[in-house]
Amino acid sequence: MLTLGTAGHIDHGKSSIVKALTSIDPDRLPEEKERGMTIDLGFAWFALPSGEKVGLVDVPGHQHFVRNVIPGLTGIDAVMLIVAADDGWMPQTEEHLQIIDLLGINRGLVVLNKMDLAEADWRDMVKADIASHLGGTSLEQAPIIEVSARTGAGIDSLKAAIENLARDVRQEDAGKPRLPIDRVFNIKGSGTVITGTLHGGHLSVGDALTILPRGLSAHVRGIESYKEHLQRAAPGSRVALNLSGVKKDELERGDIIVRQGQETPLSRYLDADLTLLPTVKQPLKTGAEVSLFFETAELPARVIALEGREVIPGAPALVQLRLDREAAATIGERFILRKSSPAETIGGGRILDPAAERYQLKNAADRLARLAARRRLDADSIIRTELSKTHFALRRGFLRAAALNEAALARTIEAITKKGDILLKGEYLIGGVFWQEQQKRLITSLAAVHQAEPLKKGLPQAEAAAKLPLPPELFAALVDELASQKKIIRAGDVLALSTHKPALSGSQEEMEKRILAAAEKDPAAPPTRTELLQSVPEASPVLRYMLEQGKVVELPEGILMTAAQYRATRQKVIDVLKSKGQIAIQDMAALTGFSRKYSIPFLTRLDQEGITRRQENVRVPARKLE
């Protein structure tokens, strides 16, 4: 389906051309009919001889309503630039062409209207003048069709030219439906209705929606396109959606409808590639206030130059657009900038990063390099630059803000992963260089721990993970890979370099003997950690080593026993359980000499090991005892 927009100077007959094609008057507002002038967007449609439907978006021609022109021209497939034969090229013809060119609309035709009001030789002069203005623009190759909306002359030729345009336009279903709202109204008995041009994918009755940037939820109650009720709307068509779950007053032009679960990021900072029109007389200084137009939205913004202190007319420049509220833009989306005083279009370009962070000089070099690489806006450069920014991303929902077909995106990712530049780890994509850097960081962290505390078994995984900017799944994959390469080892929840072998020095061996002697001094009243360290000062590293090596066992409440003591006492308890089937705390005194202070922690440790379990006031076997 083709959506065709009009453009051109006031009184050159845009609305009359639409009416001649469709028999629909696009001027719907009372004040438009009263003044005989288009003020806001108008909509109409007609069927080509082939049966294909064409939606028409009619825009105002007066310079005071240019802010209503841009929303009408974004999202269209092609444009009709209308010039009156008796007037010729006029100021708003020029500004509308600038907008068309900045929006990258390269399909279209020129309609030379009011041919009945000008002689043939005059019309030839006007056509030559039009051709000179179109030179070097996106409409340079557009045909010029002579018509008279008043008499109907040439309308059939215009329809034939539109049919040729329609053959060249096929909207791709990328699986990412996006519908910028251009009208919101109520219909009695139906409720909230919005209209817009759907692109990026299809929408169906019953679909769950999110309205951005507001975050509101809604459902599609009904769909109408070109006066037909549909169950499913195709990309490229003008649609009216009857929504449930939202009120008219909650929505406005500029809001964007997407399918729930396919929300694009919101940001107040948009990094962009901007070109000021060569006709702009002064450079645009950084911090300048402008009006930003993208899709159907109009937002106040400040322009921050990223490559100097100003933007020079006619030369592409990387900038950051700072907004006063969050916006839901997409990668590669076209935009227009206008100034309010004097009111004029000054330039436009494409959004490179719709989820940027506030620009800071300290990371300027990396950002500029990434944005320069993204200027190509092909799948390969977008994928690589996104991962150079985020380092890793879940594959599901990756690059939701790019209008890339999911299948094509998957193919490009597969091709890049084969080169090793990007790796697929579980559900994550991660930059190959970044992955290697994280491996080195982990190895360096372990080496530092081993050097600082050579007796320490290693670094607990939780502490190691906290040193790396990785989610748990990626950290686990990193450890698995290094372990499989035998660069690190895992002992329980502790990581160490495979070359690390904790060993005591001569003086530390003497301290170990003192610790064992202190633990064995009174078997019926083993020391706590605090008591032991008071009796053997500065023994903490050696004690930790002994605990990790299993030479000493720590019970709840910090009670310490030698491994031999613990094993012998545990076996005594197991023997009682085998013979009697249970053991009480009071039995522990006769068995071990322990008071209640030591019996309870010892039995609690057996509970933790799964040897016993508490049953009222006794312990019973938790499993079959060998």
Side-chain angles (χ1 to χ4, degrees):
M1 293 183 179
L2 177 71
T3 300
L4 190 62
T6 68
H9 197 77
I10 187 171
D11 288 336
H12 280 203
K14 293 183 298 298
S15 298
S16 61
I17 291 289
V18 171
K19 191 170 183 180
L21 287 168
T22 68
S23 301
I24 298 170
D25 185 353
D27 289 339
R28 54 189 168 79
L29 301 176
E31 55 265 44
E32 289 178 318
K33 296 185 182 297
E34 181 180 335
R35 297 168 65 178
M37 179 175 68
T38 301
I39 296 172
D40 201 358
L41 300 178
F43 307 98
W45 64 276
F46 71 103
L48 293 167
S50 64
E52 182 168 358
K53 293 184 176 67
V54 176
L56 286 163
V57 182
D58 188 36
V59 304
H62 196 286
Q63 62 178 339
H64 291 165
F65 304 114
V66 173
R67 60 197 300 269
N68 289 337
V69 170
I70 301 168
L73 293 180
T74 55
I76 63 172
D77 301 308
V79 67
M80 287 192 298
L81 181 62
I82 297 168
V83 182
D86 56 339
D87 264 357
W89 199 266
M90 297 292 282
Q92 287 314 112
T93 318
E94 183 64 33
E95 185 170 15
H96 284 202
L97 177 62
Q98 290 172 345
I99 292 168
I100 290 165
D101 199 38
L102 290 168
L103 290 175
I105 302 169
N106 55 16
R107 292 188 181 95
L109 45 86
V110 178
V111 179
L112 188 62
N113 190 24
K114 304 185 181 181
M115 60 178 292
D116 54 313
L117 300 181
E119 299 294 333
D121 56 348
W122 175 259
R123 297 201 305 271
D124 289 340
M125 291 175 58
V126 171
K127 285 193 287 185
D129 186 48
I130 291 171
S132 69
H133 282 92
L134 295 180
T137 73
S138 59
L139 293 185
E140 185 172 16
Q141 302 301 320
I144 301 175
I145 313 298
E146 296 185 46
V147 305
S148 170
R150 186 178 67 84
T151 67
I155 295 298
D156 287 341
S157 297
L158 177 57
K159 286 183 177 179
I162 293 171
E163 189 151 32
N164 287 334
L165 281 177
R167 291 193 191 100
D168 295 335
V169 173
R170 287 293 177 269
Q171 279 258 356
E172 182 183 29
D173 189 337
K176 300 176 180 179
R178 188 173 175 90
L179 199 159
I181 297 174
D182 52 40
R183 287 181 65 203
V184 186
F185 51 93
N186 275 332
I187 293 180
K188 189 174 182 179
S190 295
T192 305
V193 176
I194 65 92
T195 67
T197 303
L198 176 64
H199 57 89
H202 69 271
L203 283 176
S204 300
V205 172
D207 278 351
L209 308 174
T210 300
I211 293 95
L212 301 174
R214 302 168 187 272
L216 299 173
S217 297
H219 280 80
V220 181
R221 179 187 289 167
I223 301 174
E224 186 176 296
S225 181
Y226 310 126
K227 298 296 183 182
E228 286 187 47
H229 292 282
L230 305 175
Q231 287 297 306
R232 172 174 161 140
S237 56
R238 288 286 309 169
V239 297
L241 300 184
N242 182 200
L243 302 180
S244 63
V246 288
K247 299 176 181 177
K248 171 184 175 292
D249 294 341
E250 295 179 296
L251 308 176
E252 65 181 11
R253 176 182 289 176
D255 291 343
I256 297 160
I257 286 178
V258 297
R259 193 181 288 135
Q260 207 167 89
Q262 295 184 324
E263 295 83 1
T264 50
L266 304 179
S267 179
R268 289 181 52 226
Y269 308 107
L270 311 177
D271 286 346
D273 193 7
L274 168 66
T275 300
L276 293 185
L277 292 170
T279 53
V280 174
K281 296 177 181 178
Q282 297 291 332
L284 190 67
K285 295 190 179 299
T286 195
E289 295 182 356
V290 297
S291 291
L292 165 68
F293 294 81
F294 73 92
E295 295 185 312
T296 58
E298 176 187 356
L299 301 170
R302 287 183 179 271
V303 179
I304 307 300
L306 303 186
E307 301 172 287
R309 306 183 71 85
E310 60 186 15
V311 180
I312 305 299
L318 295 172
V319 301
Q320 181 166 94
L321 303 171
R322 292 185 181 169
L323 315 178
D324 60 2
R325 67 169 176 83
E326 290 185 320
T330 58
I331 297 171
E333 191 166 302
R334 299 268 184 178
F335 66 89
I336 300 290
L337 295 186
R338 300 194 85 235
K339 292 192 77 171
S340 56
S341 182
E344 61 177 347
T345 300
I346 60 170
R350 305 189 84 159
I351 294 169
L352 299 178
D353 186 353
E357 296 177 349
R358 186 182 177 92
Y359 172 72
Q360 293 179 310
L361 194 59
K362 63 182 181 182
N363 58 12
D366 287 345
R367 181 179 298 216
L368 286 170
R370 185 174 66 248
L371 294 175
R374 185 171 280 194
R375 270 176 160 151
R376 296 199 311 272
L377 287 171
D378 57 11
D380 186 274
S381 65
I382 292 173
I383 292 167
R384 291 177 185 276
T385 53
E386 188 68 13
L387 284 175
S388 73
K389 173 190 173 185
T390 63
H391 302 306
F392 57 85
L394 279 167
R395 185 162 186 175
R396 181 179 176 84
F398 179 57
L399 284 177
R400 193 171 283 157
L404 297 172
N405 180 284
E406 292 290 352
L409 181 63
R411 287 194 297 271
T412 307
I413 289 172
E414 184 179 1
I416 298 175
T417 54
K418 284 181 178 177
K419 297 177 182 177
D421 300 345
I422 292 172
L423 308 174
L424 184 59
K425 300 292 180 181
E427 295 300 313
Y428 280 87
L429 293 165
I430 186 165
V433 172
F434 179 74
W435 182 251
Q436 297 299 322
E437 289 172 351
Q438 301 318 301
Q439 289 186 333
K440 290 177 182 176
R441 284 182 64 178
L442 178 55
I443 288 172
T444 301
S445 295
L446 294 178
V449 168
H450 297 334
Q451 183 175 3
E453 302 178 81
L455 292 184
K456 194 173 181 181
K457 189 175 182 180
L459 189 62
Q461 288 203 57
E463 289 184 35
K467 295 176 182 291
L468 302 183
L470 296 174
E473 298 93 330
L474 278 178
F475 179 76
L478 186 77
V479 170
D480 287 344
E481 187 168 309
L482 289 174
S484 69
Q485 295 169 355
K486 302 192 182 311
K487 293 181 179 179
I488 67 172
I489 55 173
R490 280 177 291 200
D493 69 340
V494 174
L495 301 177
L497 294 179
S498 56
T499 56
H500 179 58
K501 298 289 186 287
L504 297 173
S505 65
S507 61
Q508 289 170 333
E509 286 178 348
E510 289 300 316
M511 192 172 288
E512 180 184 50
K513 292 175 183 177
R514 292 173 61 193
I515 291 171
L516 291 172
E520 293 170 339
K521 184 177 181 181
D522 186 354
T528 64
R529 179 189 283 258
T530 302
E531 292 168 344
L532 189 143
L533 291 176
Q534 287 174 346
S535 65
V536 187
E538 299 180 1
S540 183
V542 177
L543 176 59
R544 183 176 60 241
Y545 166 79
M546 294 173 71
L547 286 165
E548 290 178 348
Q549 296 297 315
K551 296 181 179 182
V552 177
V553 176
E554 185 170 18
L555 307 180
E557 311 299 333
I559 296 167
L560 298 173
M561 301 177 72
T562 67
Q565 284 177 313
Y566 178 72
R567 287 194 298 271
T569 306
R570 181 177 63 182
Q571 190 58 49
K572 289 179 181 179
V573 172
I574 290 172
D575 291 342
V576 171
L577 291 170
K578 285 180 178 179
S579 62
K580 295 184 177 181
Q582 65 179 44
I583 189 169
I585 291 174
Q586 53 268 32
D587 298 330
M588 292 290 291
L591 185 67
T592 65
F594 285 168
S595 67
R596 187 180 183 87
K597 173 183 176 181
Y598 302 101
S599 295
I600 291 176
F602 191 89
L603 291 173
T604 300
R605 170 72 183 234
L606 295 185
D607 292 345
Q608 293 169 347
E609 290 185 19
I611 294 172
T612 58
R613 63 181 175 85
R614 186 173 178 177
Q615 184 174 296
E616 297 181 350
N617 295 322
V618 298
R619 292 309 201 283
V620 297
R623 53 182 169 82
K624 186 177 180 180
L625 301 174
E626 299 297 334

